[in-house]
Amino acid sequence: MTRIATIPLQHVMAGGITHAQELLQTSQTQLATRKKAPDFASLGTNGVRNLSAHSLQAQQTAYAGAATNVATTLSLYDVNINAIDTAASSLRTQIFTAVGTGQTPGLDASFKIAFDQVRASLNASVDGVPLFSGAQTGLDPLQPATFSAMAGLDPAATFANDDVRSVARVGDSVDIQYGITASDVGTKLLAAFRTLADAGPIGDSPTDVQKAALTKALGQLDVGLTQVRSVNADNGRRQAQVETQATRASERGDILSSLISASEDADLGQIAIDIAQNKSVLQASYSVFSQLAGLNLGAYLK
């Protein structure tokens, strides 16, 4: 007669307890980490997809970060170029009034104040690096230190910047070249300052030569302001483009985060239920096992 092998009931119960302990441990780990699985391999078929999603999310985060950095730089350009526009426009108004009235008291001081404001903006720096210098970070982009130093200078020779432009990738196959140099903004304005400096000190009533110089400077200021505003308009278009790319990168990153979360993040409500159930099962198993372990034939015969 064939004998059928039997497994002691206590062994079966011990196996059940071990399984219940493993389930409880898994639920507790999920609660602690808030993740369904400890690694990508444990996600099964979703592992490869989620790994790719993480890579794409990191890429979008990098795009958004690059766009934000570029936007900050473009905003600094905008602030300083507007300051130059304001200083040059104010000077133009004062010269126009002086030409119309023939009275020029204090006009020399206005030349110096306007030049100093333009110079300060063109030589603005961020963390010690000149903003309008291109790649020439060791020198001030606008070299003459004073208005009087402009006399006899070729405006193009007053700049120490180069024409190197920065490039940032702010989207898939989207590279933005940006960067404004001092000569981009101020070459034509500096021609007006040279004309005024060449005219020499102007008293309360200008000479005929000085009147001619003031009239010439007015025309040069108009041309210079056109250059300044054109450069700033281009800068504004780049700002809009960068803002759009930053928004897109952020939105794509959010979508990828949602996809990743759906596959990886644990359902805390379900985990709480699982822990309660597994604890109940484990406690019941302990109780039954304890009762079985206490049974013996002698106790039964009594």
Side-chain angles (χ1 to χ4, degrees), residues 136-214:
Q136 299 300 316
T137 58
L139 296 171
D140 285 335
L142 183 60
Q143 286 292 291
T146 63
F147 166 70
S148 59
M150 285 297 303
L153 287 180
D154 176 1
T158 61
F159 298 100
N161 61 265
D162 57 27
D163 291 324
V164 175
R165 316 289 174 172
S166 298
V167 177
R169 174 151 291 194
V170 295
D172 294 332
S173 301
V174 179
D175 294 325
I176 288 184
Q177 185 180 61
Y178 66 101
I180 301 172
T181 64
S183 57
D184 290 337
V185 180
T187 301
K188 294 178 181 178
L189 277 183
L190 268 291
F193 283 111
R194 175 188 171 172
T195 296
L196 295 171
D198 286 344
I202 298 177
D204 291 344
S205 298
T207 65
D208 290 341
V209 173
Q210 289 175 331
K211 287 180 181 179
L214 291 175

Side-chain angles (χ1 to χ4, degrees), residues 44-66:
T45 56
N46 289 332
V48 174
R49 187 187 69 178
N50 275 39
L51 188 60
S52 297
H54 275 282
S55 178
L56 290 172
Q57 183 189 40
Q59 188 178 59
Q60 296 303 318
T61 299
Y63 290 155

Side-chain angles (χ1 to χ4, degrees), residues 111-119 144-147 150 190 193:
F111 300 159
K112 295 173 184 177
I113 291 171
F115 178 82
D116 288 344
Q117 291 174 334
V118 169
R119 183 177 186 277
T146 63
F147 166 70
M150 285 297 303
L190 268 291
F193 283 111

Side-chain angles (χ1 to χ4, degrees), residues 52-112:
S52 297
H54 275 282
S55 178
L56 290 172
Q57 183 189 40
Q59 188 178 59
Q60 296 303 318
T61 299
Y63 290 155
T68 298
N69 290 337
V70 173
T72 299
T73 300
L74 298 182
S75 294
L76 292 171
Y77 286 142
D78 180 71
V79 169
N80 285 285
I81 293 173
N82 281 328
I84 292 169
D85 190 321
T86 299
S89 296
S90 177
L91 179 60
R92 184 193 180 284
T93 299
Q94 294 175 69
I95 294 175
F96 185 81
T97 300
V99 170
T101 62
Q103 301 299 310
T104 54
L107 199 56
D108 270 348
S110 297
F111 300 159
K112 295 173 184 177

